[in-house]
Amino acid sequence: MIKGSCLCTQVQYEYHGEITELAVCHCHQCKRAQGTAFVTNAPIESSKLKWISGEALLKSYYSSENKRRVFCQNCASPLFSQRTDMPETVRLRVGTVTHGHIPQPDYQIYCESSSSWFSLDENKPRYQQNIK
Ligand SMILES: [Zn+2]
Ligand SMILES: [Zn+2]
């Protein structure tokens, strides 16, 4: 079982299945929607995703005619995206997962718009928390 929540924790969900596929998306829309260098999305079955609390706080923004991006309207955490022509699938933002197994990424998409400034140098300092 997968469990997760938004930042303010008012929206809580359970996924009654396994995450079996993980994509790294480098598209401009995902980067702006999440404010990050890239986004990690898992396609999961919408019928197995259950809202434990906060469903009324979910808000949809249609970044394309056929694609909505769903977030908590209290804290703005992005939770998933969904295409209107593929309602059986949602693409979960796995940074919101708090319990359960997330596999390593399987593939990357929209690599032509990947952030050229981003790379992880393991030789750079690695702190446990924020630097004061
Ligand atoms: Zn929230
Ligand atoms: Zn994307």
Side-chain angles (χ1 to χ4, degrees):
M1 164 119 61
I2 303 290
K3 294 182 180 185
S5 74
C6 64
L7 178 59
C8 76
T9 70
Q10 291 189 71
V11 177
Q12 298 196 26
Y13 62 82
E14 289 178 354
Y15 181 61
H16 296 253
E18 300 291 318
I19 293 177
T20 57
E21 183 181 328
L22 185 62
V24 172
C25 184
H26 297 283
C27 85
H28 290 299
Q29 286 191 349
C30 281
K31 290 198 288 187
R32 278 188 289 217
Q34 264 82 103
T36 51
F38 56 83
V39 178
T40 47
N41 299 332
I44 61 172
E45 295 173 61
S46 51
S47 62
K48 295 181 181 175
L49 183 62
K50 308 292 179 204
W51 301 103
I52 304 305
S53 66
E55 191 172 359
L57 286 171
L58 295 176
K59 183 160 185 166
S60 294
Y61 170 70
Y62 281 80
S63 55
S64 314
E65 208 169 87
N66 69 342
K67 184 176 183 176
R68 65 180 183 135
R69 294 169 179 272
V70 180
F71 59 97
C72 169
Q73 57 184 310
N74 185 53
C75 69
S77 283
L79 291 156
F80 68 90
S81 64
Q82 188 174 35
R83 284 172 48 168
T84 54
D85 57 342
M86 292 176 60
E88 67 283 358
T89 301
V90 302
R91 294 184 173 274
L92 185 69
R93 273 45 187 168
V94 298
T96 63
V97 171
T98 56
H99 298 90
H101 177 69
I102 301 171
Q104 293 290 310
D106 293 292
Y107 52 84
Q108 303 179 56
I109 54 176
Y110 291 98
C111 292
E112 69 278 12
S113 52
S114 66
S115 302
S116 59
W117 50 267
F118 183 84
S119 68
L120 281 176
D121 181 347
E122 294 298 318
N123 295 316
K124 295 267 174 75
R126 291 166 59 93
Y127 301 101
Q128 293 299 314
Q129 291 184 13
N130 201 9
I131 309 170
K132 295 292 177 212

